[in-house]
Amino acid sequence: LDYFQQPQDIKESDFVEFFEKYGRHSFLAPSQVQPSFSAFYRAGDPILIYFDSSSILSMLRQPVKMGASGLCADGNPAGFLDSKSTSCTRIFANLSKSCMTDPALDAASYYRDFTVLKVPINDTIVQSMKVIYEIEYSGTSGIQSVSVQFKVSNISGNSRSSLLQHFTMHFWVSISPSSLEFYRTRTLSHTLPRSGNPGYISGAPLLIANGGAMQHMSVLWSESGGSCSQFFRHIVQFGMNVRTGCKISLSPVLEDSNCSYTQQKLYKAFQGMNRTEDFAIIGSAHSTQADEWITILIRNCSVQVVNCTSCCMVPVTLEIQILWTKVGLLSNPQAQILGARYFYQCHPLKFLNVSMVPVTTVVTFTDMTDWPEPPRGQPQMHWKLPFDIFFPIKVALNVERSYRGDLAGYFLLILIMSSIFCF
């Protein structure tokens, strides 16, 4: 009873039945990456400063003492309307040298090269700028080439504006076809950290594979303007339900002949750079162990359109359904995945000046753990005497008491018991 029951294998025919029985929808709000500032300072807010030479937004600092030694901690921000005096200790190995080089002893460092913002920045972020580095490398010869791509935006003449920048570093390997399989099974499998040992840990990235190359599972992610990011995707974490939405740009004018092209473009956008084929059952799965991987069930949409001659059925929603359970010891249960399905939902799209298509991705985790019965209590004492040894006495005591009529019976019973023990 210290072990869980053997989990049932999930097949395509019974996936819907289990999902409808155990499925629950709950979504976590995405974390806000961009900081938000109010239109004015509130009590306790950090006072913002701006360095003109380096275009850096920072905070006004007020050093305070840290720990029992009272050494200075320079990272403490000064709070608005928080009047206070602080003192701390600095240690110098060479005071004469530090006097010329240490910014803490230079009075100008407390006011030079920066300005204090009257109010926090509250401007609209303009269209983002992207910088992408493509680095080709070989496993034996090192870096082969480096290229850079830019996506720039026009900025208006408004002096109070901000720019959201994205920086991407993309590495890809240049190897011969003969060594491709070795690279996939050896190199990529060791570059990804484990997501559990052996079972998945809550919050760890899900492991998927495409042709033997392991990677983290990801879904579409939205940029600041609401469009789907071409460079960033949200990493799916085990046990964390998530729902994302964004818009994919299409050609301004579409024709009937472009329906297949539009469908494939949206399918590829949902799948990412590589089509997912296999799913890791446990968090420490190895690419060479076939029993540690399961094939993902994929259900595409029907391409037929009813009552629309100039429409195209395109995928607009991808629901990723993941069934998992806990197995192993009750004292240390391990989470493993039983089955996964990609379920696409389509919508008819008219070819009339369509420029943006809203798409949605939903990831749900369903716990199918079949808990065993609770363990028994402490064992009871096992009596070795025969079960009916006191049967004659019980019979005699249950007979209606009659001092006169039963006297002979009692005497006979005493004689029988005396003969038994004497023997």
Side-chain angles (χ1 to χ4, degrees):
L1 290 179
D2 199 24
Y3 289 87
F4 284 94
Q5 300 178 9
Q6 183 69 22
Q8 180 180 353
D9 293 335
I10 304 298
K11 302 178 181 178
E12 187 174 3
S13 58
D14 51 13
F15 194 99
V16 178
E17 176 185 354
F18 283 108
F19 188 79
E20 292 178 351
K21 180 179 179 180
Y22 296 96
R24 300 290 186 272
H25 288 277
S26 65
F27 306 101
L28 300 178
S31 59
Q32 299 295 329
V33 179
Q34 299 299 326
S36 58
F37 301 104
S38 59
F40 53 87
Y41 286 116
R42 294 184 174 91
D45 287 350
I47 300 174
L48 301 180
I49 61 175
Y50 182 74
F51 292 88
D52 295 325
S53 59
S54 56
S55 302
I56 294 178
L57 183 67
S58 184
M59 293 180 291
L60 189 64
R61 311 289 182 176
Q62 182 179 7
V64 294
K65 62 181 179 181
M66 181 66 67
S69 60
L71 297 178
C72 291
D74 295 318
N76 178 64
F80 182 68
L81 296 182
D82 186 10
S83 301
K84 63 180 179 181
S85 299
T86 59
S87 60
C88 58
T89 303
R90 298 188 186 274
I91 299 177
F92 304 100
N94 190 334
L95 183 58
S96 60
K97 183 179 180 179
S98 298
C99 184
M100 304 298 296
T101 60
D102 197 328
L105 300 181
D106 186 3
S109 64
Y110 293 94
Y111 66 87
R112 184 179 54 196
D113 296 335
F114 68 85
T115 56
V116 179
L117 273 65
K118 294 181 179 180
V119 295
I121 293 179
N122 193 23
D123 297 308
T124 303
I125 299 178
V126 300
Q127 187 176 358
S128 61
M129 173 185 176
K130 300 180 179 67
V131 180
I132 305 173
Y133 289 96
E134 296 277 349
I135 302 178
E136 178 186 1
Y137 71 97
S138 171
T140 57
S141 304
I143 295 177
Q144 302 298 305
S145 63
V146 179
S147 62
V148 61
Q149 302 177 16
F150 298 94
K151 182 180 179 182
V152 297
S153 303
N154 294 327
I155 302 178
S156 62
N158 185 6
S159 59
R160 292 179 57 83
S161 61
S162 57
L163 175 68
L164 178 64
Q165 291 182 311
H166 296 286
F167 302 91
T168 302
M169 193 76 66
H170 181 215
F171 291 86
W172 59 284
V173 65
S174 174
I175 55 178
S176 60
S178 59
S179 58
L180 178 59
E181 186 64 26
F182 174 83
Y183 171 78
R184 285 177 173 176
T185 58
R186 299 292 181 182
T187 306
L188 289 181
S189 61
H190 291 289
T191 55
L192 290 181
R194 289 178 175 176
S195 294
N197 190 20
Y200 275 102
I201 299 175
S202 179
L206 290 182
L207 300 179
I208 57 177
N210 177 24
M214 294 177 56
Q215 54 188 311
H216 290 155
M217 180 181 178
S218 62
V219 294
L220 286 172
W221 195 243
S222 175
E223 293 182 339
S224 57
S227 60
C228 297
S229 176
Q230 301 179 10
F231 312 103
F232 301 98
R233 291 175 64 88
H234 176 71
I235 301 298
V236 179
Q237 299 172 319
F238 180 80
M240 304 296 180
N241 295 345
V242 67
R243 182 187 185 95
T244 65
C246 56
K247 295 181 179 180
I248 297 179
S249 61
L250 299 176
S251 302
V253 179
L254 299 177
E255 300 177 356
D256 294 344
S257 59
N258 292 333
C259 179
S260 177
Y261 170 77
T262 305
Q263 291 173 345
Q264 294 302 320
K265 180 177 181 180
L266 292 176
Y267 276 120
K268 289 181 179 179
F270 279 116
Q271 297 166 4
M273 296 181 60
N274 298 317
R275 178 183 175 91
T276 304
E277 297 178 352
D278 300 319
F279 217 102
I281 297 177
I282 55 178
S284 60
H286 196 277
S287 59
T288 59
Q289 301 296 327
D291 57 341
E292 297 177 350
W293 297 85
I294 57 173
T295 302
I296 299 177
L297 306 177
I298 301 178
R299 180 180 175 183
N300 294 333
C301 319
S302 175
V303 297
Q304 298 179 356
V305 181
V306 181
N307 298 329
C308 185
T309 57
S310 61
C311 294
C312 179
M313 291 295 291
V314 297
V316 295
T317 301
L318 169 59
E319 184 173 357
I320 303 176
Q321 304 165 349
I322 302 173
L323 308 181
W324 67 281
T325 185
K326 292 182 179 180
V327 298
L329 295 173
L330 285 172
S331 58
N332 186 24
Q334 301 294 314
Q336 79 174 35
I337 292 176
L338 298 177
R341 183 178 74 162
Y342 280 29
F343 181 74
Y344 288 96
Q345 298 180 13
C346 288
H347 183 77
L349 179 66
K350 270 196 171 184
F351 294 135
L352 297 175
N353 297 329
V354 178
S355 59
M356 302 291 287
V357 176
V359 293
T360 304
T361 306
V362 178
V363 182
T364 56
F365 290 83
T366 302
D367 185 0
M368 296 181 56
T369 302
D370 188 8
W371 296 92
E373 296 180 359
R376 295 186 297 264
Q378 296 296 327
Q380 302 296 325
M381 185 177 296
H382 178 66
W383 298 97
K384 295 183 179 181
L385 295 176
F387 141 79
D388 57 348
I389 187 173
F390 295 109
F391 177 75
I393 300 178
K394 291 182 179 180
V395 173
L397 294 178
N398 289 334
V399 178
E400 183 180 358
R401 296 179 179 275
S402 176
Y403 295 101
R404 295 180 180 180
D406 295 338
L407 184 60
Y410 283 116
F411 181 75
L412 180 60
L413 178 62
I414 293 174
L415 290 178
I416 294 174
M417 295 297 294
S418 300
S419 62
I420 291 175
F421 287 105
C422 291
F423 180 78

